[in-house]
Amino acid sequence: MKKVLGIILLLTCIDLCHAAPQLVYYGDTLEWNTDWVKKQCGTLDISKNIIEVSGIACSRVTPGYIWMQSDETVKYIIATDEKGAERACKVKFTKSIRWDWEDMSGGVYNDTNYLFIGAFGDNEETDGNYSVVYFPEPAIDPVNAPEITVTPQQIKYVYPDGKNHNNEAIMYDNREQMIYIITKVYYNVCQVFSLPFRLDYGDETQTLTYVCDLGVKSDLGYSETNKPFQGFHLVTGADISPDGKYILIKNHNNIVAKYCWVLLWERQEGESVAQTLTRERHPQPLKCYNVTEWQGEAICWLDSTTFYTTSDADDGNPPIYKYTKKSSQSVEAVPSHSTPKAELIMRDNVIYVRAKDRLYTMDGRVVKE
């Protein structure tokens, strides 16, 4: 009898692992978004790169490359193209900085492109030594400069409730020039906090500002008496598109139900990130994203029509996935990684790409000047 019950339980778990959950956001059932398509564009060769990728960011200085960081013992970042086979650049740091990196993001401030690394992992919530590491994004030249060194800065911070929190997601908004940090919580609600980005914080510890709860519920294992999925738990990655139009937040699977999802918010004109995350028009889970990524922790926008995800290497070399909006059509593509230099430019609160003396919109169209 025990054997039969065990088989039934196993089959039930398998069914849960593959069945798309019903997601509820502040009491409303979410509609699945089918506007995006997914394909595997590459495979990360960990023998030449890094393992357990927990954060990625598309290069804005040298388009065509993706920056990657690990939360293992590798205290440097790398860049590869979307195929992931060869390492194009390795960046080391001139000074020791807080370890347990969990996510990274890119953004523009005062016409300079920066990379941000969230040095804030704290699974046991006992550390309390949290910071955002940042530095101007270096150019990538795999032939003449395959290995470079940068001097990082860091912003130390605490939470407004005075408590320790585990974190695995950071995103930067070019419109507001604001850093957003999202806590990672098991079986409960994750929270969003903000911090304006400035260059003059120095060694002074900053206090984050509470933004909102992520009130997503799942019907997987959910009941009124036992609520293991009572919030958008296990958030492991997030990013805001360079033009500020879209917000992506993802979680990863867990022991109870091996299902993970990516939520997409479309930001309205004039809205802050806080207003977008809390208004009545709710996010949409992306139908094209599924559980092919075991412990998927990394996500980043290329532009408002394309983003990437990848995961750690527990099962070998992890795939790199590319997601494209079905309706996107580029009049002229932004130059590839053969471009010697490109950068993000902000004009009238709109983000453009400057490359080869031409100006492009974030979806790849040439702007007439």
Side-chain angles (χ1 to χ4, degrees):
M1 184 64 178
K2 290 183 179 180
K3 184 179 292 187
V4 173
L5 289 175
I7 293 173
I8 293 174
L9 179 60
L10 176 61
L11 292 175
T12 302
C13 290
I14 291 174
D15 183 61
L16 285 175
C17 291
H18 294 282
Q22 182 183 65
L23 302 182
V24 179
Y25 193 82
Y26 289 110
D28 294 332
T29 301
L30 299 184
E31 297 182 2
W32 288 89
N33 183 305
T34 59
D35 295 338
W36 299 75
V37 294
K38 168 187 175 181
K39 71 173 184 179
Q40 182 175 344
C41 60
T43 300
L44 185 65
D45 186 344
I46 62 172
S47 67
K48 301 177 182 178
N49 296 296
I50 56 177
I51 63 173
E52 197 162 344
V53 177
S54 60
I56 56 177
C58 286
S59 175
R60 306 299 174 191
V61 173
T62 318
Y65 291 104
I66 301 174
W67 293 105
M68 300 182 180
Q69 50 94 185
S70 169
D71 65 2
E72 281 290 321
T73 57
V74 179
K75 298 184 180 181
Y76 55 82
I77 67 172
I78 67 161
T80 75
D81 62 16
E82 66 177 22
K83 295 181 179 179
E86 299 292 335
R87 184 169 70 197
C89 184
K90 175 181 178 180
V91 178
K92 299 189 296 185
F93 301 104
T94 58
K95 60 183 179 181
S96 177
I97 52 179
R98 197 263 197 194
W99 188 233
D100 204 351
W101 302 348
E102 292 293 351
D103 198 16
M104 72 186 307
S105 186
V108 60
Y109 181 83
N110 289 347
D111 292 333
T112 298
N113 293 277
Y114 286 90
L115 290 177
F116 304 93
I117 296 177
F120 46 37
D122 188 8
N123 286 335
E124 304 301 324
E125 297 185 349
T126 57
D127 190 324
N129 179 25
Y130 310 127
S131 66
V132 175
V133 178
Y134 70 93
F135 48 92
E137 182 191 339
I140 299 171
D141 186 348
V143 176
N144 299 309
E147 186 171 311
I148 58 180
T149 302
V150 302
T151 299
Q153 305 298 322
Q154 59 181 335
I155 305 172
K156 301 175 183 179
Y157 72 84
V158 295
Y159 288 90
D161 60 6
K163 298 179 180 179
N164 296 334
H165 294 278
N166 187 31
N167 321 268
E168 287 200 13
I170 186 172
M171 55 188 186
Y172 178 82
D173 180 38
N174 284 319
R175 293 185 187 179
E176 301 174 320
Q177 299 183 330
M178 187 82 70
I179 297 168
Y180 288 90
I181 294 169
I182 307 175
T183 61
K184 178 186 177 184
V185 183
Y186 285 80
Y187 314 131
N188 211 324
V189 178
C190 294
Q191 295 181 313
V192 184
F193 296 87
S194 66
L195 178 69
F197 178 53
R198 297 201 332 242
L199 302 176
D200 59 353
Y201 283 133
D203 292 330
E204 183 180 349
T205 299
Q206 307 303 309
T207 300
L208 301 184
T209 298
Y210 168 78
V211 175
C212 67
D213 288 359
L214 292 176
V216 179
K217 296 180 180 179
S218 164
D219 65 349
L220 288 177
Y222 179 84
S223 70
E224 288 302 317
T225 55
N226 180 22
K227 301 180 179 181
F229 288 90
Q230 63 181 3
F232 188 20
H233 66 299
L234 295 177
V235 169
T236 56
D239 202 21
I240 302 173
S241 61
D243 61 1
K245 185 176 181 180
Y246 295 109
I247 301 170
L248 288 172
I249 301 177
K250 75 178 300 297
N251 70 349
H252 75 55
N253 45 21
N254 58 86
I255 297 173
V256 178
K258 294 180 174 59
Y259 196 90
C260 47
W261 54 86
V262 172
L263 294 185
L264 174 74
W265 283 261
E266 183 173 354
R267 191 172 176 185
Q268 303 303 301
E269 190 65 32
E271 278 189 337
S272 66
V273 170
Q275 289 171 326
T276 303
L277 294 177
T278 56
R279 61 179 159 83
E280 291 185 358
R281 186 178 178 185
H282 297 320
Q284 291 184 319
L286 298 184
K287 192 70 173 180
C288 64
Y289 186 84
N290 53 46
V291 77
T292 53
E293 289 183 321
W294 168 252
Q295 198 167 330
E297 297 187 6
I299 190 167
C300 72
W301 287 101
L302 172 63
D303 52 42
S304 58
T305 68
T306 307
F307 68 92
Y308 296 92
T309 68
T310 190
S311 55
D312 75 19
D314 280 354
D315 296 328
N317 295 336
I320 302 172
Y321 294 106
K322 185 176 185 177
Y323 306 77
T324 307
K325 197 171 185 181
K326 293 178 181 177
S327 59
S328 64
Q329 292 182 345
S330 297
V331 176
E332 181 176 339
V334 175
S336 68
H337 58 71
S338 60
T339 304
K341 183 169 178 64
E343 59 183 350
L344 292 182
I345 300 294
M346 178 179 286
R347 292 185 178 177
D348 299 323
N349 291 324
V350 178
I351 306 297
Y352 300 95
V353 177
R354 167 75 68 183
K356 284 189 175 179
D357 296 324
R358 304 191 74 175
L359 199 64
Y360 299 82
T361 63
M362 292 308 302
D363 60 359
R365 292 177 289 114
V366 176
V367 177
K368 294 183 179 179
E369 297 186 85

